[in-house]
Amino acid sequence: MNSQATLKLPLGKDIAGQTVIADLTTMPHLLVAGATGSGKSVCLTSFITSLANENSPDELRLVLIDPKMVELTMFNELPHLLYDVAVKPDQAAETLKLVVKEMEERYELLSKARKRNIASYNEDSEDQSPRIVVVIDELADLMIVGKREIEGLLVRLAQLARAVGIHVIAATQRPSSDIITGLIKANFPTRIAFMVSTKVDSRVILDQAGAEALVGRGDMLYMSPQQQSHERIQGTFTPDSTLDRVLQQWENLAEVKSQRQQVTVEEPGAEFDFESWKAENEAESKERLDRAIAEMKARAAKVREESEAWFRDFMKRGASENEKFMRDQGHPYDESKTIDSSAEESPKTESPERKPRKRGRAVRFINGLMVWVCGVALAIVMLYVLGEILL
């Protein structure tokens, strides 16, 4: 009761028996991690009960995300809730998107009012903006379903939401590097480590070993930017009777009514069934493929006939016509004539040591031209077949 904190979080008692109260506004975000049964959900219950008991709905609004469906749903009747408790991953993602949208709208208000934070804005404005605390009971379940989306939303909130009065408390029972990523650790400087199973998990949470030696049942190590070292604290326990009294207190206040916003999740479209599509279109696909192959064969036969006819016509022409054709194509006439004359003047009697006669330039040119024509024709046919198959 003597604490001057804006958003009081009762951590528990230290090793000297002194009560430890933290202020969420100075953290400004909190990461809680520990093994199953170490006391995370009890800690979050105490935090929510304290925040609801110390602040009215006009001063504080809560956003609760509980993938486990049993830990935070008891707070569903609180008038502090900005939305209903999100229990499904798609609802959680949509809720975080709405919180990000609220953050952007608040930044626009601060920019128009020329204020740096939500406290100075509320001092000079008649339209008060309550602080918002986002509590996530199990971060690992959300990260498994949509890691990239959830991580992006959390990091954006952690980086920008402090000035507009939005704070995040996230808890997880899987303190591994794929759940508590580097971006999340960098933006959650205040951390609470309950008992974990290995030193590796302790290093992920606190950047050093020590949490594996805790005894459980609320035994924690508290790390904050304001302290030089970690502080060992025995966490608080809120019995059901106390929680019921707090909930009944707000139910009895008839003048306080919850103004909750509805979270609508778009229904995902039906997944594409490839097997049914394949069965329905198998006959049509086979017919189109057969038609494309037949057309490819016809084009190849036509190209082959044209090439053979051109080659036969070329071979029937005389030497003078061939020389003129070669000269038109840029080949030197004298060199070709020398090759042809040397071939004509060669002895017609064969000798055992005679070397095979070299091919003339005309023959090499014809062979190269034939290869080029066939290659171009084959490329055209293959491109046409590929286009038919894809379309």
Side-chain angles (χ1 to χ4, degrees):
M1 294 178 66
N2 296 329
S3 175
Q4 301 299 321
T6 304
L7 297 177
K8 301 177 184 179
L9 296 182
L11 297 181
K13 293 186 177 181
D14 59 11
I15 57 177
Q18 301 295 323
T19 302
V20 181
I21 303 294
D23 189 0
L24 183 58
T25 58
T26 61
M27 290 185 179
H29 310 290
L30 176 62
L31 180 63
V32 183
T36 303
S38 59
K40 300 184 305 300
S41 298
V42 175
C43 178
L44 294 182
T45 301
S46 299
F47 289 168
I48 297 173
T49 305
S50 174
L51 293 173
N53 189 54
E54 295 290 332
N55 302 273
S56 67
D58 295 333
E59 299 171 343
L60 174 68
R61 304 307 295 267
L62 295 173
V63 177
L64 305 183
I65 299 175
D66 182 19
K68 293 190 290 187
M69 303 184 186
V70 294
E71 299 294 343
L72 303 183
T73 52
M74 64 185 72
F75 296 103
N76 215 6
E77 301 301 325
L78 272 178
H80 298 74
L81 293 187
L82 189 60
Y83 315 105
D84 291 334
V85 179
V87 296
K88 296 182 179 180
D90 53 350
Q91 293 178 348
E94 193 65 28
T95 301
L96 290 177
K97 291 179 182 178
L98 292 176
V99 176
V100 171
K101 183 179 179 181
E102 175 69 21
M103 177 190 69
E104 294 173 350
E105 293 176 354
R106 290 192 175 192
Y107 265 109
E108 292 180 0
L109 291 176
L110 293 182
S111 177
K112 293 179 181 178
R114 297 185 179 180
K115 301 295 181 179
R116 297 186 60 184
N117 51 54
I118 197 67
S120 60
Y121 175 81
N122 288 336
E123 289 177 359
D124 301 333
S125 176
E126 297 180 357
D127 186 12
Q128 300 292 309
S129 296
R131 293 184 179 272
I132 299 176
V133 177
V134 181
V135 181
I136 303 175
D137 186 31
E138 187 49 64
L139 180 61
D141 291 344
L142 302 181
M143 296 288 282
I144 291 174
V145 175
K147 178 178 179 180
R148 181 173 298 180
E149 183 180 17
I150 297 298
E151 182 183 9
L153 294 172
L154 275 180
V155 170
R156 191 171 185 201
L157 284 174
Q159 289 176 344
L160 302 174
R162 176 182 183 179
V164 294
I166 301 177
H167 309 277
V168 181
I169 301 176
T172 179
Q173 65 180 2
R174 278 188 55 191
S176 56
S177 57
D178 58 335
I179 302 300
I180 305 178
T181 61
L183 282 175
I184 294 178
K185 289 180 62 176
N187 292 281
F188 284 77
T190 306
R191 303 167 198 164
I192 293 178
F194 289 92
M195 181 187 66
V196 295
S197 56
T198 63
K199 294 182 180 180
V200 176
D201 295 340
S202 178
R203 291 191 180 96
V204 172
I205 307 169
L206 303 174
D207 297 326
Q208 70 177 31
E212 75 282 355
L214 298 176
V215 297
R217 299 183 66 85
D219 192 13
M220 71 171 77
L221 290 176
Y222 173 66
M223 181 185 74
S224 68
Q226 291 80 20
Q227 297 177 346
Q228 297 294 332
S229 61
H230 305 120
E231 184 178 5
R232 188 172 185 179
I233 300 174
Q234 177 59 44
T236 59
F237 172 73
T238 303
D240 293 340
S241 59
T242 303
L243 178 59
D244 292 338
R245 289 202 309 269
V246 173
L247 295 176
Q248 189 65 34
Q249 171 190 354
W250 289 111
E251 290 180 4
N252 295 335
L253 296 177
E255 68 274 10
V256 178
K257 295 183 179 180
S258 176
Q259 301 294 332
R260 297 188 191 178
Q261 304 177 18
Q262 297 297 324
V263 179
T264 57
V265 180
E266 296 182 359
E267 293 294 334
E271 296 183 358
F272 178 71
D273 190 356
F274 177 76
E275 295 298 333
S276 61
W277 177 86
K278 181 180 178 181
E280 293 176 358
N281 297 273
E282 184 175 3
E284 182 181 356
S285 300
K286 187 176 183 302
E287 182 181 356
R288 293 179 61 185
L289 181 60
D290 294 341
R291 186 169 59 251
I293 293 175
E295 188 171 352
M296 178 187 67
K297 291 181 179 179
R299 287 175 175 265
K302 183 178 180 180
V303 171
R304 184 171 62 252
E305 292 177 359
E306 293 177 354
S307 301
E308 292 177 354
W310 180 86
F311 183 72
R312 287 193 299 267
D313 182 68
F314 183 85
M315 296 301 295
K316 290 179 180 179
R317 286 182 294 187
S320 59
E321 294 182 2
N322 290 336
E323 290 174 358
K324 181 180 180 182
F325 174 79
M326 293 172 60
R327 192 163 49 245
D328 294 339
Q329 296 296 326
H331 293 276
Y333 168 74
D334 295 335
E335 183 177 353
S336 62
K337 183 177 180 180
T338 304
I339 295 174
D340 295 338
S341 61
S342 61
E344 293 176 357
E345 294 175 359
S346 59
K348 296 184 179 181
T349 58
E350 297 182 357
S351 65
E353 298 180 358
R354 181 182 178 185
K355 296 181 180 180
R357 186 172 60 182
K358 297 182 179 180
R359 294 183 177 181
R361 285 183 175 270
V363 178
R364 290 199 300 271
F365 171 75
I366 294 171
N367 292 339
L369 185 62
M370 288 292 297
V371 171
W372 181 81
V373 171
C374 294
V376 171
L378 183 60
I380 293 173
V381 172
M382 293 302 295
L383 287 175
Y384 177 81
V385 173
L386 182 61
E388 288 289 335
I389 294 176
L390 293 178
L391 295 177

